[in-house]
Amino acid sequence: MIKFSMKSCIQLAAVASLAISGCAEAKKKPVPLPPPPPPAPKMVVVAWKPIPPEWAAPNTQVPPLLPDGLRQSVNRQITPAQTTWNLRSGYNVAALNCTQPKHADILINYRAFLKAHAKTLKAVNVKVDAEWRARYGAGFIKPREKYMTEVYNHFAIPPTLPAFCDAALAMSQEAKLVKSADLQNFAARSLPSLEIVFDDFFKRFDQYRLDMAAWENRWGKDAVPGSTVLATNTNSTM
């Protein structure tokens, strides 16, 4: 049988008291919280691609600018006779392709134009033939026909048709008042008014190409518009 003295009991009581006190302090000591989870990655939505003007094909060929700042064109840097003949060609394209009701007068006015200036236009055509013969010799017909195909194709660029038809309608109304003696002067001032349509389109297409290059630089060529991608320094700074 174990006997405890008073002193031993006092010591045991003190130890027990210290143990209880230590447990109480241990309970009061805050437990460290786990570290917070890393922030969720920032995501961004891929912007929609730039759209070509008039919904033109993205690979549309744009003529270069000339040193004078104007666009290279089959209707520039040509003789007065060729200018007159090209205006007649553009008028012909408009008569065939501008079929909306609001452009109905173009065909009517074109027929009147051919009738009123038949003799002058015949002389212009002879003059143009002579110019091409002087340049290419006896085989001038083939290069002239190739050039005229380019002229017709130029006037018939599909994305420009609405604006071209509007310009051709205005030109056709003015043409009704032109005398044959003034036809060359009329062509000199009217062909540029048609050409502005194409200058404007090509200028806007150049801007589209710049916008598209910026989009690809920001998102990448293979990015899917409307999709969600991880934010980067490149795609989040604009």
Side-chain angles (χ1 to χ4, degrees):
M1 182 176 183
I2 301 174
K3 293 182 179 181
F4 295 95
S5 65
M6 181 61 70
K7 184 177 180 181
S8 297
C9 288
I10 292 173
Q11 289 176 340
L12 288 172
V15 172
S17 177
L18 288 172
I20 293 172
S21 176
C23 290
E25 290 180 1
K27 289 181 180 180
K28 292 179 182 179
K29 187 177 181 180
V31 178
L33 298 175
K42 182 180 178 182
M43 308 298 287
V44 290
V45 177
V46 178
W48 297 105
K49 290 183 178 181
I51 299 173
E54 317 307 330
W55 299 91
N59 61 347
T60 296
Q61 297 298 309
V62 176
L65 291 171
L66 298 171
D68 59 6
L70 295 175
R71 189 78 57 177
Q72 181 178 320
S73 170
V74 291
N75 290 321
R76 291 198 167 106
Q77 298 181 338
I78 55 179
T79 67
Q82 190 70 66
T83 297
T84 302
W85 197 252
N86 282 16
L87 180 70
R88 186 213 63 84
S89 301
Y91 205 167
N92 178 240
V93 171
L96 293 173
N97 291 283
C98 300
T99 57
Q100 291 191 17
K102 67 176 182 177
H103 299 131
D105 282 350
I106 294 178
L107 178 58
I108 297 172
N109 294 340
Y110 178 62
R111 287 171 174 165
F113 176 84
L114 293 180
K115 183 177 180 179
H117 305 294
K119 186 179 295 186
T120 301
L121 289 173
K122 183 177 180 180
V124 168
N125 189 37
V126 170
K127 174 64 174 175
V128 172
D129 269 351
E131 292 173 349
W132 282 84
R133 185 182 290 106
R135 188 185 310 175
Y136 293 100
F140 76 94
I141 292 179
K142 186 174 182 179
R144 187 192 175 188
E145 288 182 345
K146 180 178 180 296
Y147 169 77
M148 290 310 303
T149 297
E150 294 173 355
V151 171
Y152 279 94
N153 288 341
H154 175 74
F155 283 121
I157 298 174
T160 65
L161 187 60
F164 170 67
C165 290
D166 289 344
L169 178 62
M171 181 273 292
S172 75
Q173 301 292 8
E174 184 181 352
K176 293 191 295 184
L177 305 176
V178 175
K179 304 297 184 183
S180 289
D182 193 42
L183 187 58
Q184 183 171 291
N185 291 332
F186 173 72
R189 64 178 182 267
S190 296
L191 189 60
S193 72
L194 296 182
E195 195 62 25
I196 287 173
V197 170
F198 306 96
D199 289 341
D200 175 69
F201 170 73
F202 291 133
K203 180 180 179 180
R204 290 184 290 124
F205 198 91
D206 274 343
Q207 185 59 52
Y208 155 74
R209 293 197 298 191
L210 292 175
D211 294 342
M212 192 65 208
W215 186 94
E216 291 180 348
N217 181 66
R218 181 180 181 184
W219 301 108
K221 290 185 177 182
D222 298 325
V224 179
S227 65
T228 302
V229 298
L230 186 66
T232 66
N233 291 335
T234 300
N235 65 26
S236 301
T237 56
M238 298 179 67

